[in-house]
């Protein structure tokens, strides 16, 4: 059981979760800055104004990465730091752009391979106010393409690009449940605007087209001279039927993955939405124009995989509710016989199940023709971790075991199942702003003392990562 000698491992973060400096050096507000101002949306009224202060501590972050032995680092750019108003005719903020150019230079000098995510949920607020942001089928893809071109031109040294992080979350959590910015939902107790039955499917479609436009620009205008690769990162849980003897539960378990992952991956690999989604959603699922299909189909050089957990899945009878986004099914932590999927964590949606990680890698590989896969996020919170202080909080044995078990499951998918996994990035390099959960939930391999000046101290999970992957990677 081993991983190839050129296997890359490291850590991942996102701009809004770690950077802070929300008003520094010309940065404009993002939809998350605006969302954080709405009372009751974020735990304890938290925001990203300071976060981990990484905008001002890039040297510290690189030193930390080196100390932990990371070979690569996945981070995202703040669109509104680069183009404060977001649009293709709006001014570029050179200070913001220069910040990322220097950061990539410094990473490369330290021997760390950068993976840049163009969009990790923090659209410029100006675009949301100007034309509805992600809901606009015409304007949003063009503005994203323009932003991508600016960045590709400025940072030719980066050879690994991700267009969107988890478009499922940008669609469902932001435009169906209202849990994420900008908070649209049909539930009028949560938001005065939104249509959960239609908006998420429109947003998902527009994200796919925007992805396709950015990839076309990269391949035609930059890849010939710079080389490199570009893809999208999709999230999804593995699924087991609640009753494996019930064919309807078996079908529902597969359908759950289709509604989460294949919603985006099928158009990219096959040029169409999954039949299960077309059947349930009908005309609420937008239709690709010929131009859009040409942009989207074939637009992945690699598959970016974010994965954390698994579920048991039970089918529902009768017609699906118009706001349903799972595929007319329910998920549960226990199967028919009372078996539990995995232990509790601080996150209600996350229970460790390493076998499911291997299972999903195999599922994806079989469905999409064994593409190269980069695991761009994988990690866990720990129940009650935020109540601990050093030195107890540094001894995160639960997370150590999670990474050990998941890394070994990945290695089996490669060495025994023939899957082509090229890299692994643990979520996260450090504790950070965990979106609607604020600073209550920690995912870091490094402890961040928010009250003590954002100082960083490596946890046991961070310290053990190098030894874990050294034991799994072939030595040439």
């Amino acid at each position: 059981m081993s991983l190839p000698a050129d296997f890359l491992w490291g850590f991942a973060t996102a701009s809004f979760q770690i950077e802070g400096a929300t008003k520094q050096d010309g940065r404009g507000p993002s939809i998350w800055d605006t969302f954080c101002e709405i009372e009751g949306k974020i735990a304890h009224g938290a925001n990203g104004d300071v976060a981990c202060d990484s905008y001002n501590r890039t040297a510290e972050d690189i030193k930390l990465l080196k100390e932990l032995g990371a070979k690569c680092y996945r981070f995202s750019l703040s669109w509104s730091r680069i183009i404060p108003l977001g649009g293709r005719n709006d001014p570029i903020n050179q200070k913001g752009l220069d910040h990322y150019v220097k950061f990539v230079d410094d990473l490369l000098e330290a021997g760390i391979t950068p993976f840049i995510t163009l969009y990790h949920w923090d659209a410029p607020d100006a675009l949301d106010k100007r034309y509805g942001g992600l809901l606009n089928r015409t304007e949003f893809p063009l503005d994203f393409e323009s932003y991508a071109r600016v960045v590709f031109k400025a940072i030719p040294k980066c050879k690994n690009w991700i267009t969107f992080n988890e478009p499922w979350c940008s669609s469902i959590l932001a435009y169906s449940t209202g849990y994420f910015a900008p908070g649209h939902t049909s539930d009028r107790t949560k938001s005065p605007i939104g249509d959960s039955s239609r908006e998420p499917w429109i947003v998902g479609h527009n994200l796919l087209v925007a992805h396709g436009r950015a990839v076309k620009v990269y391949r035609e205008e930059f890849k010939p001279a710079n080389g490199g690769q570009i893809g999208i990162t999709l999230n999804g849980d593995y699924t087991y039927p609640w009753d494996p003897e019930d064919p309807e539960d078996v079908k529902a378990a597969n359908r759950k993955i289709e509604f989460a992952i294949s919603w985006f991956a099928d158009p990219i690999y096959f040029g169409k939405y999954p039949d299960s989604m077309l059947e349930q959603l009908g005309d609420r699922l937008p239709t690709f124009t010929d131009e859009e299909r040409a942009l989207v189909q074939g637009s992945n050089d690699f598959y970016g995989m974010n994965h954390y957990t698994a579920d048991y899945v039970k089918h529902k009878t009768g017609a699906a509710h118009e706001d349903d986004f799972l595929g007319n099914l329910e998920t549960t932590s226990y199967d028919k016989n009372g078996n539990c999927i995995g232990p509790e964590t601080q996150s209600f949606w996350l229970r460790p199940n390493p076998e499911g990680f291997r299972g999903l890698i195999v599922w994806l590989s079989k469905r999409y023709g064994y593409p190269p896969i980069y695991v761009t996020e994988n990690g866990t919170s720990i129940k009650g971790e935020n109540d601990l202080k050093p030195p107890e909080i540094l001894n995160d044995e639960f997370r150590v075991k999670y990474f050990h078990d998941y890394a070994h499951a990945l290695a089996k998918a490669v060495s025994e199942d023939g899957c082509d996994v090229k890299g692994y990035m643990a979520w996260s390099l450090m504790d950070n702003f965990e979106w609607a959960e604020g600073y209550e939930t920690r995912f870091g391999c490094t402890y961040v003392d928010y009250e003590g000046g954002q100082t960083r101290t490596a946890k046991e999970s961070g310290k053990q990562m190098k030894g874990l992957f050294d034991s799994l990677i072939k030595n040439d």
Side-chain angles (χ1 to χ4, degrees), residues 290-413:
D290 290 342
E291 183 196 9
E292 288 174 337
R293 183 176 290 104
L295 283 166
V296 173
Q297 190 169 3
S299 59
N300 250 9
D301 294 336
F302 61 86
Y303 180 98
M305 178 184 185
N306 285 5
H307 174 77
Y308 292 85
T309 190
D311 298 298
Y312 290 114
V313 171
K314 191 176 186 181
H315 76 281
K316 285 182 177 177
T317 54
H321 188 273
E322 66 172 8
D323 291 353
D324 176 74
F325 53 80
L326 292 176
N328 203 23
L329 52 90
E330 59 182 302
T331 60
T332 171
S333 300
Y334 294 86
D335 71 2
K336 182 184 179 183
N337 298 315
N339 298 308
C340 185
I341 205 84
E344 277 189 282
T345 66
Q346 184 66 29
S347 310
F348 68 89
W349 51 270
L350 199 171
R351 287 174 177 258
N353 183 276
E355 298 81 9
F357 187 31
R358 179 182 180 181
L360 189 57
I361 293 170
V362 172
W363 190 98
L364 292 167
S365 296
K366 285 181 176 176
R367 188 175 182 105
Y368 300 117
Y370 290 82
I373 294 172
Y374 287 88
V375 178
T376 43
E377 283 182 31
N378 177 242
T380 189
S381 59
I382 302 175
K383 196 166 180 63
E385 185 178 22
N386 197 42
D387 300 329
L388 304 174
K389 299 289 180 199
E392 290 83 10
I393 199 169
L394 304 177
N395 186 27
D396 57 343
E397 286 300 325
F398 185 91
R399 189 173 285 113
V400 170
K401 177 173 169 41
Y402 180 99
F403 286 129
H404 174 276
D405 293 350
Y406 273 70
H408 280 77
L410 182 156
K412 285 180 181 174

Side-chain angles (χ1 to χ4, degrees), residues 152 163 210-220 230-231 299-300:
F152 295 150
T163 53
H211 157 79
R213 295 196 81 93
V215 171
K216 185 172 190 285
V217 164
Y218 187 72
R219 287 176 173 171
E220 292 181 358
I230 188 166
S299 59
N300 250 9

Side-chain angles (χ1 to χ4, degrees), residues 39 46 78 120 138 153 195 212 217 309 318 320 349 382 420 434 464 467:
E39 191 176 344
S78 166
H120 198 125
T138 305
K153 185 178 179 183
D195 178 355
V217 164
T309 190
W349 51 270
I382 302 175
D420 184 15
E434 191 50 41
Q464 290 199 22

Side-chain angles (χ1 to χ4, degrees), residues 418-439:
C419 301
D420 184 15
V421 187
K422 301 283 193 186
Y424 174 95
M425 289 145 239
W427 187 270
S428 176
L429 175 62
M430 66 188 92
D431 296 329
N432 56 53
F433 176 81
E434 191 50 41
W435 308 109
E437 294 169 48
Y439 298 97

